[in-house]
Amino acid sequence: MDPQPSGLSRQAERPDGSLARGLVGRHVELDAFAASLQPDSPVRIHLVHGVGGIGKTTLLEAMERIATASGRVVVALDARDLICSTTAVADAIAAAAPTASPWVLLIDGYELLEPLDRWFRRTLLPGLPPATVTVLAGRNTPDPAWWLAPDQRNRVVVHALAELPARESADLLRDRGVAAEHRDAIARLGHGHPLVLVMLAEAARSGPVPTDLAASPATVGRLCRAILDDLPDADHRTGLATCAHANRMTEDLLRLTVGDRTDEVWHWLSTRPYVRRGTVGLYLHDVVRGLFEAEFAHRSPQSYAAVHRAVRGYFEQRLRDPQEPYPDRAAAEILLLHRRGPLAGVTARLREGGPLPVVRADADGVRRAIELTGRHEGPEASAIARRWIDHRPGCVWQVLTDGDTAFGVHVYLDEDTDVDDPVVDAVRAAVAAEGPLRPGERIHVNRFGSGSAGITDGLVLFVNGVSSILEWISEPAAWTFIVTAAPDFYGDYYAYLGMRHLFTLDAPGARVGGWGWDRRRLPVPKLLEMLSIREISGESGPPPARLLRPAPLDRTAFDAAVRSALSLLTRPDRLASSPLLETNLMPPAPPSAQGLREVLVASIAQLETEPHGPDHRRIL
């Protein structure tokens, strides 16, 4: 390769078309560089790092202009032009270095030269003229050895290039010719990533304005090649897909998808510049997550669906494990898997915020929940919430955050429930119209949802979604209802969940809508099965008929079916047609004649402990 310095002009040759047209932002980095050019500055080394396309090359170009304007000679090298050897690097610098000093050394693509990192620290840079300022820009986080040595602490500055803030993103789009009315939407889609913003701007100029990364597969493919150019093999791609799909990926989850290579893939992921380490597990830079997910779903939809099933199955298993110490985390992961629902934008923003605990509210949280209900729905609604809380202590769930918070209230109606709330009559009437409750059955109602920032704030969706999943898994009920004072906002989302709009009511303080789900016909496992498909398909409306059980038997029909089944205990071929197979009498496993026989025999055995039980057992 030609060892001569590139002067960073190779940027114009890049296939992604990301030629710099002027720098937006990065004032802190440029000011620090300019200050280090002063003779009295102790700083002589700048270490710039960030994911691909975040603007490292453009920043180096701006630094080159500043250095030239200050009278410095600049030696600018691109690591892609160099053989990774000490001789090649030393020769390239020697060929371009000026005889006069001071001068500036800029090296782009430093991640390609990292095998020489120790030599750079201990031999090359200490051997340069004392006033030389060096900037090394690469994707990976620098080795701490650069600044841990006592004589280097004041000489080295590290610059981690972050995403551009919203205003600077809009400025970049303006400079790229994007109309003012489209800048905010594209800026949100680009997550402040300069290369993504530039390419979305180009896509907007040549066609429809992008509204979803998945809608621009050609652009997404080019971006993935520019940012994710270091995937060793299929297992590493699967590991990256797992990390992208889960909100937070742990080693246990990774082992489910890559098996014996877990340690190797985990280490590789943890060293990628676009992968971040959270308090729990690993997660991807937001824009990289969106790009990789869109590219993966477009390139290999079957493999994408397989990863989705694996990730979802892992968290469902954790959710059902009675020994799981953090069931709310598993529920949150399931909630945040919604990629195509009506409120997908809200869940995407919740993913960006990281995992938040959802817990039963303490006394202060209960007080706050009542206060917020009154603020958003009026004092009458606040009084109703207080009555429910008195009736069922522990019914308030809270999301724990450092700032805004939100609450959900879950209650249960049985035949003896007597709480002064007009929603109770509306719920009972809706259920009666579909088929009355049977003895011992009850109705679950997600009655209130409120938050510091309003009823439609994402935290309200989060706390109600997570707490609902926890209630569904742990508390039996014949029906579930969700009642909201923002029916226009949430209605499509509840339809996507397979629920039906069953009433609208002028409740005290607010007009509310109620959506219901007959859990006797669609048990919780079947609902979760349906949602696992809708999360990536975006389908909405009533559940498919194949998932529904027949309408519940009334007491007379149920008693007749039990009598018939008891007479057929020794005829499993005829038990296979019993209507009891489609009732909640059966365990969650696929119903079978043998399973029904086992349930009946076990029920008969339980009579032994009741008054006259032995006699009844012998008769049966």
Side-chain angles (χ1 to χ4, degrees):
M1 291 186 180
D2 180 4
Q4 294 301 316
S6 65
L8 302 182
S9 62
R10 289 179 58 88
Q11 180 72 6
E13 303 170 19
R14 291 174 64 177
D16 59 29
S18 56
L19 174 64
R21 299 182 184 178
L23 185 68
V24 172
R26 309 305 188 200
H27 305 296
V28 172
E29 293 82 1
L30 292 176
D31 288 346
F33 174 75
S36 69
L37 299 177
Q38 300 303 313
D40 59 347
S41 173
V43 176
R44 290 293 177 260
I45 301 171
H46 296 266
L47 304 177
V48 178
H49 68 97
V51 299
I54 199 66
K56 299 182 295 293
T57 300
T58 307
L59 178 63
L60 287 182
E61 290 176 331
M63 289 177 170
E64 181 177 10
R65 291 192 293 271
I66 291 173
T68 301
S70 71
R72 296 268 185 133
V73 175
V74 177
V75 176
L77 302 178
D78 190 321
R80 291 171 297 178
D81 296 336
L82 301 172
I83 296 172
C84 184
S85 74
T86 58
T87 301
V89 174
D91 289 348
I93 294 174
T99 56
S101 61
W103 48 286
V104 170
L105 174 63
L106 305 177
I107 298 182
D108 197 9
Y110 184 71
E111 70 275 5
L112 300 177
L113 301 177
E114 282 187 349
L116 311 178
D117 194 63
R118 180 185 177 92
W119 174 75
F120 267 86
R121 290 196 319 269
R122 296 196 170 188
T123 303
L124 177 65
L125 299 193
L128 296 178
T132 302
V133 174
T134 300
V135 183
L136 306 178
R139 295 191 175 194
N140 301 329
T141 303
D143 189 321
W146 277 100
W147 58 85
L148 289 181
D151 59 340
Q152 293 294 315
R153 289 174 184 168
N154 295 328
R155 290 174 52 82
V156 177
V157 176
V158 179
H159 306 283
L161 294 192
E163 303 86 350
L164 296 175
R167 181 172 180 177
E168 292 177 0
S169 295
D171 289 344
L172 187 152
L173 294 171
R174 179 201 62 210
D175 294 345
R176 293 281 168 164
V178 175
E181 62 269 24
H182 300 311
R183 289 174 199 158
D184 288 347
I186 295 179
R188 285 194 297 270
L189 195 59
H191 292 282
H193 190 289
L195 177 59
V196 177
L197 292 168
V198 167
M199 295 188 71
L200 290 175
E202 291 178 356
R205 286 205 310 273
S206 60
V209 176
T211 57
D212 184 356
L213 289 175
S216 304
T219 299
V220 165
R222 293 168 66 199
L223 285 167
C224 279
R225 287 191 294 274
I227 297 174
L228 305 172
D229 61 354
D230 56 351
L231 288 168
D233 55 37
D235 283 339
H236 287 76
R237 180 177 288 275
T238 299
L240 182 61
T242 307
C243 192
H245 207 64
N247 186 46
R248 293 293 185 271
M249 185 193 71
T250 61
E251 282 194 60
D252 291 337
L253 172 56
L254 183 62
R255 186 167 290 107
L256 186 68
T257 59
V258 302
D260 293 341
R261 298 187 70 188
T262 296
D263 291 345
E264 175 189 351
V265 174
W266 176 273
H267 174 74
W268 177 82
L269 282 168
S270 64
T271 61
R272 296 306 89 196
Y274 45 78
V275 176
R276 297 172 175 176
R277 186 181 294 272
T279 54
V280 177
L282 303 178
Y283 64 102
L284 290 188
H285 183 289
D286 296 327
V287 74
V288 177
R289 180 203 299 271
L291 287 170
F292 184 79
E293 285 259 290
E295 189 271 342
F296 185 30
H298 175 76
R299 174 177 48 81
S300 184
Q302 289 186 339
S303 297
Y304 178 80
V307 169
H308 174 76
R309 288 192 297 271
V311 171
R312 200 180 203 285
Y314 170 78
F315 288 114
E316 281 192 29
Q317 183 180 22
R318 280 185 53 189
L319 189 63
R320 292 192 176 95
D321 184 354
Q323 304 302 317
E324 169 58 46
Y326 302 107
D328 59 306
R329 289 183 187 172
E333 288 281 359
I334 292 172
L335 176 72
L336 297 179
L337 284 174
H338 294 290
R339 299 294 204 266
R340 296 288 181 266
L343 297 180
V346 177
T347 54
R349 288 191 290 276
L350 289 168
R351 281 194 296 274
E352 294 167 13
L356 296 169
V358 174
V359 300
R360 299 277 185 184
D362 58 16
D364 185 63
V366 168
R367 178 195 58 77
R368 182 78 170 131
I370 294 172
E371 173 193 331
L372 289 174
T373 301
R375 179 192 304 176
H376 301 304
E377 298 187 45
E380 298 94 338
S382 177
I384 293 172
R386 188 184 300 275
R387 288 197 287 271
W388 275 117
I389 292 166
D390 291 340
H391 176 77
R392 186 178 185 248
C395 66
V396 181
W397 292 84
Q398 176 183 3
V399 57
L400 299 179
T401 72
D402 293 333
D404 289 343
T405 188
F407 302 88
V409 178
H410 294 264
V411 300
Y412 288 83
L413 310 181
D414 55 29
E415 59 185 11
D416 297 324
T417 301
D418 183 20
V419 174
D420 184 9
D421 180 358
V423 164
V424 171
D425 291 338
V427 166
R428 283 179 168 153
V431 170
E434 301 292 324
L437 293 181
R438 297 168 297 189
E441 291 182 333
R442 61 179 184 167
I443 303 168
H444 163 232
V445 184
N446 183 184
R447 177 63 181 92
F448 292 104
S450 58
S452 307
I455 298 175
T456 59
D457 182 61
L459 288 178
V460 176
L461 176 69
F462 184 76
V463 70
N464 275 329
V466 170
S467 58
S468 288
I469 293 172
L470 295 174
E471 293 277 352
W472 298 343
I473 291 294
S474 61
E475 296 286 348
W479 277 81
T480 278
F481 277 79
I482 301 179
V483 179
T484 178
D488 293 338
F489 182 80
Y490 289 110
D492 289 343
Y493 181 73
Y494 299 149
Y496 158 79
L497 298 181
M499 297 183 175
R500 285 188 294 151
H501 183 214
L502 292 176
F503 64 83
T504 299
L505 177 69
D506 287 321
R511 186 172 180 81
V512 301
W515 277 258
W517 151 43
D518 188 344
R519 290 166 59 170
R520 300 169 299 184
R521 300 204 62 193
L522 185 70
V524 171
K526 292 296 183 182
L527 175 81
L528 295 177
E529 177 184 335
M530 178 191 75
L531 291 180
S532 71
I533 298 172
R534 293 190 174 188
E535 284 157 1
I536 55 177
S537 72
E539 181 186 355
S540 190
R546 64 180 177 80
L547 295 179
L548 294 177
R549 289 180 171 178
L553 301 174
D554 61 27
R555 182 56 184 264
T556 300
F558 182 81
D559 288 349
V562 171
R563 292 191 189 95
S564 174
L566 289 172
S567 69
L568 299 173
L569 280 181
T570 59
R571 296 290 306 275
D573 57 324
R574 295 182 64 184
L575 270 181
S577 61
S578 171
L580 294 177
L581 290 172
E582 299 297 337
T583 67
N584 285 335
L585 185 68
M586 299 299 295
S592 66
Q594 180 60 29
L596 175 58
R597 185 181 187 282
E598 291 173 359
V599 168
L600 292 171
V601 169
S603 299
I604 293 170
Q606 291 175 2
L607 294 173
E608 191 72 30
T609 60
E610 297 184 4
H612 306 293
D615 294 336
H616 293 162
R617 178 181 177 184
R618 283 192 295 273
I619 293 171
L620 291 173

